[in-house]
């Protein structure tokens, strides 16, 4: 009754039942899982708790990650905001979004506890956007939990019609999805209509189409950690634009379709194999050597 | 076209760095342990594809071993799994191997051994976002995949005998469980049958009841696929 396979179906359901998107996503989960509303909401709100723990822990640490390439930037940003925020171009909240996203991803790279949302590699965006928005709009944790349902609904649509794995679709499938999910959720939490949510998601995802997954040494460190921070701001831009009435010319479902097409066209060397792009730069080769990374094509003979 | 639960997107809660190479690896280890249904004394991991190339940086090795020791994806002790295995006297070995082109790049074969128990091997793949598939149990090709929290599976090994699957399903239906999916594969005189039950968790007594059916060799209830 509440099941959806595209954004147009999701919007239609929201309008028909006069309910926000988050509630349609929750009702769909209730009918497909036989779990009670309370069980599902509690499990989702646990994610907010874990996100906050990861961010707060990360803001106090400057220890290096497992691969040694990241780990010192969340603390730099957090101190910078306290001292120099007035001189910065961006709003305090935008800077906080970057900081929280990087804090999360640095924890991830240290093998700390995080919520993969939708993946571990792109796990910074949602906490960045959500916790910065909580600071600005004084959202309750309950409100943020509702937002996570909206975000998850968008992720389900992308996963079903394209992919959420960097190995299959490149980084556009991970960070692109995370930004679209965050933009739609933020827009709804701010009081946007279901249509505005989809426009925000489209604006975010459209601008990340074609992005490759080529991290150094195949590790979730460079460029992943800072990318999550910088691109969390894209979700804020997309949401602001949608709230002010800007519409995406291409509807969300079509943007997802092109994400899928582009993913298939991307060379496997640019899909989480560390065989192309940034991973094979001079710096990338140095990291591979240090990690003892072997370029084996084991199970991937079509790569060369 | 996969169908998703919100918790396939919103989660898992896990220790980093990679949902496919760390959390997925833990889950494959957990399922291997659940299928073996006994504390192993030795376990061998054969790493294939991307698991073979980047396993060290993603702690795939520690994660696999942690899963075999029943740890969950969010357990902060995953980092220390080598030490914990040493303390428990669990021997472990990692080797690089080519399992064949038909497998996903993120694949591992886990072979478990214990005294008084036949050696068991399973092949599992981590397909992204922490989702996994089990592709082989011993010599049997299988296709077991979990949607977060949705289905609970039981695995039944049995001899070839006319009507045995009908008897098994009748007994399970008698518990009031709804079977939503059934897979069976047979090699020579032996079969392996999988049943996905809709939100029903068989009790130990019920498992023993299935084991009493003539020709049934063992029954394993994979009730922890959700985590």
């Amino acid at each position: 009754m509440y099941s959806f396979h595209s954004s147009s179906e999701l919007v239609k359901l929201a309008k028909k039942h006069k309910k926000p998107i988050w509630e349609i996503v929750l009702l769909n989960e209730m009918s497909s899982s036989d779990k009670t509303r309370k069980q599902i909401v509690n499990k989702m709100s646990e994610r907010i708790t874990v996100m906050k723990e990861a961010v707060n822990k990360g803001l106090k640490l400057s220890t290096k990650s497992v691969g040694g390439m990241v780990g010192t930037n969340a603390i730099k940003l957090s101190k910078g905001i306290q001292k120099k925020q007035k001189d910065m171009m961006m709003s305090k909240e935008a800077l906080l979004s970057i900081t929280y996203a990087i804090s999360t991803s640095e924890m991830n790279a240290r093998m700390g506890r995080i919520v993969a949302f939708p993946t571990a590699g792109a796990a910074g965006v949602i906490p960045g956007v959500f916790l910065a928005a909580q600071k600005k709009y004084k959202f309750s944790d309950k409100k943020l939990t509702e937002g996570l349902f909206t975000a998850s609904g968008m992720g389900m649509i992308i996963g079903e019609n394209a992919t959420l794995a960097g190995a299959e679709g490149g980084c556009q499938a991970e960070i692109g999805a995370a930004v679209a999910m965050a933009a739609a959720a933020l827009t709804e939490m701010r009081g946007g209509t279901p249509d505005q949510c989809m426009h925000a998601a489209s604006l975010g995802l459209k601008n990340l189409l074609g992005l490759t997954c080529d991290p150094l040494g195949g590790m979730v460190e460079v460029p992943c950690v800072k990318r999550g921070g910088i691109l969390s701001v894209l979700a804020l831009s997309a949401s602001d634009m949608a709230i002010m009435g800007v519409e995406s010319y291409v509807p969300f479902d079509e943007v997802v379709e092109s994400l899928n097409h582009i993913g298939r066209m991307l060379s496997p060397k640019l899909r989480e194999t560390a065989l192309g792009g940034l991973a094979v730069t001079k710096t990338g080769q140095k990291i591979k050597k240090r990690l003892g990374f072997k370029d084996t094509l084991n199970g991937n003979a079509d790569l060369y | 076209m996969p169908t998703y639960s919100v918790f396939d997107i919103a989660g898992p809660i896990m220790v980093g760095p990679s949902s496919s190479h760390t959390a997925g690896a833990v889950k494959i280890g957990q399922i291997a342990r659940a299928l073996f249904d006994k504390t192993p004394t030795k376990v061998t991991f054969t790493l294939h594809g991307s698991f073979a190339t980047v396993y060290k940086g993603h702690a795939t090795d520690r994660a696999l071993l942690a899963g075999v020791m029943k740890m969950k994806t969010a357990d902060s002790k995953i980092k220390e799994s080598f030490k914990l295995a040493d303390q428990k006297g669990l021997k472990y070995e990692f080797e690089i191997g080519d399992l064949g082109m038909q497998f996903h790049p993120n694949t591992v074969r886990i072979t478990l051994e214990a005294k008084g128990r036949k050696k068991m091997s399973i092949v599992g793949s981590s397909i992204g976002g922490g989702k996994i598939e089990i592709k082989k149990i011993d010599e049997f090709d299988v296709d077991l995949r979990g949607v977060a929290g949705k289905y609970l599976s039981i695995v039944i090994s049995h001899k070839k005998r006319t009507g045995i699957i009908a008897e098994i399903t009748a007994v399970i239906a008698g518990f009031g469980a709804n079977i939503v999916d059934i897979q069976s594969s047979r090699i020579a005189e032996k079969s392996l049958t999988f049943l996905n039950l809709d939100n029903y968790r068989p009790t130990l007594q019920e498992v023993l009841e299935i084991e009493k059916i003539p020709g049934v060799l063992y029954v394993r209830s994979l009730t922890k696929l959700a985590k």
Side-chain angles (χ1 to χ4, degrees), chain A residues 186-240:
Chain A
L186 175 61
T187 304
E188 184 158 84
M189 289 190 288
R190 296 166 77 183
T193 65
D195 283 318
Q196 282 176 319
C197 293
M198 297 309 157
H199 287 306
S202 304
L203 290 168
L205 184 55
K206 259 192 321 191
N207 288 296
L208 293 170
L209 290 178
L211 196 63
T212 58
C213 179
D214 52 357
L216 272 56
M219 301 188 77
V220 190
E221 299 199 2
V222 178
C224 325
V225 172
K226 279 167 258 175
R227 177 173 289 173
I230 289 177
L231 291 177
S232 74
V233 178
L234 180 55
L236 309 184
S237 316
S239 175
D240 272 356

Side-chain angles (χ1 to χ4, degrees), chain B residues 17 88 103 130 137 188 191 196:
Chain B
K88 287 184 179 178
F103 293 109
I137 297 176
S191 290
N196 276 329

Side-chain angles (χ1 to χ4, degrees), chain A residues 5 25 29 32-35 40 43-44 46-47 50 66 108-121 148-149 151-153 155-156 159-161 164-165 167-168 181 217-220 272 274 291-296 298-302, chain B residues 1-22 47-50 52-59 62 74-76 78-79 96-101 103-106 127-129 131 148-150 198-199 226:
Chain A
H5 303 280
V25 176
E29 186 73 14
S32 65
S33 71
D34 291 332
K35 296 263 175 359
I40 297 166
K43 192 169 171 184
M44 192 61 95
E46 192 192 341
R47 271 119 181 99
V50 176
V66 178
N108 180 56
R110 290 186 194 107
M111 289 188 76
R113 198 164 82 122
I114 54 104
V115 187
F117 208 138
T119 62
L148 291 186
F149 282 101
S152 302
M156 288 158 77
E160 197 172 317
N161 296 290
L164 295 164
E168 275 186 282
M181 289 156 60
M219 301 188 77
V220 190
E272 212 174 349
L291 294 171
F293 185 102
K294 288 178 229 80
D295 285 355
T296 84
N298 194 348
N300 266 320
D302 58 333
Chain B
M1 195 186 275
T3 44
Y4 287 91
S5 150
V6 284
F7 297 111
D8 287 321
I9 308 296
I13 294 173
M14 55 170 279
V15 300
S18 165
S19 44
S20 54
H21 286 66
T22 321
L47 303 163
H48 164 91
S50 168
T53 50
V54 297
Y55 75 95
K56 275 192 185 145
H58 288 111
R62 283 176 272 186
D75 198 322
S76 59
I78 290 172
K79 276 189 221 179
I96 307 293
D98 190 342
L99 300 177
M101 287 291 290
F103 293 109
H104 189 280
N106 301 334
I127 60 167
K131 283 181 285 300
K150 205 161 179 190
D198 196 357
N199 216 23

Side-chain angles (χ1 to χ4, degrees), chain A residues 50-292:
Chain A
V50 176
M51 282 178 190
K52 287 188 173 179
E53 280 169 7
V55 166
N56 291 333
K57 213 167 166 187
L59 288 177
K60 294 188 198 97
L61 289 178
S62 56
T63 44
K64 285 277 178 72
S65 57
V66 178
M69 292 178 269
V70 296
T72 56
N73 284 320
I75 219 163
K76 265 184 218 167
L77 289 165
S78 140
K79 282 184 185 155
I81 293 170
Q82 284 166 22
K83 283 185 201 155
K84 303 179 203 157
Q85 198 262 311
K86 280 201 303 269
D87 303 328
M88 296 296 132
M89 288 291 288
M90 282 195 281
S91 71
K92 187 176 180 188
E93 287 77 16
L95 292 166
L96 284 176
S97 178
I98 299 177
T99 309
Y100 297 156
I102 290 182
S103 183
T104 303
S105 294
E106 286 185 345
M107 282 311 293
N108 180 56
R110 290 186 194 107
M111 289 188 76
R113 198 164 82 122
I114 54 104
V115 187
F117 208 138
T119 62
V125 175
I126 297 273
V129 169
F130 275 53
L131 300 182
Q134 184 169 45
K135 281 255 150 80
K136 181 168 176 77
Y137 300 112
K138 312 280 176 262
F139 290 148
S140 63
D141 282 0
K142 183 172 167 279
K143 183 98 178 173
L144 295 190
T145 305
E146 292 169 3
L148 291 186
F149 282 101
T150 314
S152 302
M154 301 307 288
M156 288 158 77
I157 291 165
I158 300 168
E160 197 172 317
N161 296 290
T163 171
L164 295 164
E168 275 186 282
C171 197
Q172 54 163 4
E174 297 205 20
I175 206 81
V179 167
M181 289 156 60
L186 175 61
T187 304
E188 184 158 84
M189 289 190 288
R190 296 166 77 183
T193 65
D195 283 318
Q196 282 176 319
C197 293
M198 297 309 157
H199 287 306
S202 304
L203 290 168
L205 184 55
K206 259 192 321 191
N207 288 296
L208 293 170
L209 290 178
L211 196 63
T212 58
C213 179
D214 52 357
L216 272 56
M219 301 188 77
V220 190
E221 299 199 2
V222 178
C224 325
V225 172
K226 279 167 258 175
R227 177 173 289 173
I230 289 177
L231 291 177
S232 74
V233 178
L234 180 55
L236 309 184
S237 316
S239 175
D240 272 356
M241 285 169 75
I243 291 279
M244 290 189 281
V246 176
E247 298 188 346
S248 169
Y249 204 79
V250 184
F252 187 70
D253 291 327
E254 292 176 30
V255 179
V256 172
E257 209 181 307
S258 58
L259 164 71
N260 198 28
H261 286 157
I262 295 166
R264 285 168 201 277
M265 285 188 258
L266 267 186
S267 162
K269 290 184 187 178
L270 298 171
R271 289 194 261 129
E272 212 174 349
T273 50
L275 294 172
L278 288 172
V280 297
T281 55
K282 216 191 254 176
T283 310
Q285 300 292 11
K286 239 190 274 172
I287 294 295
K288 275 195 194 179
K289 211 170 156 194
R290 199 177 82 201
L291 294 171

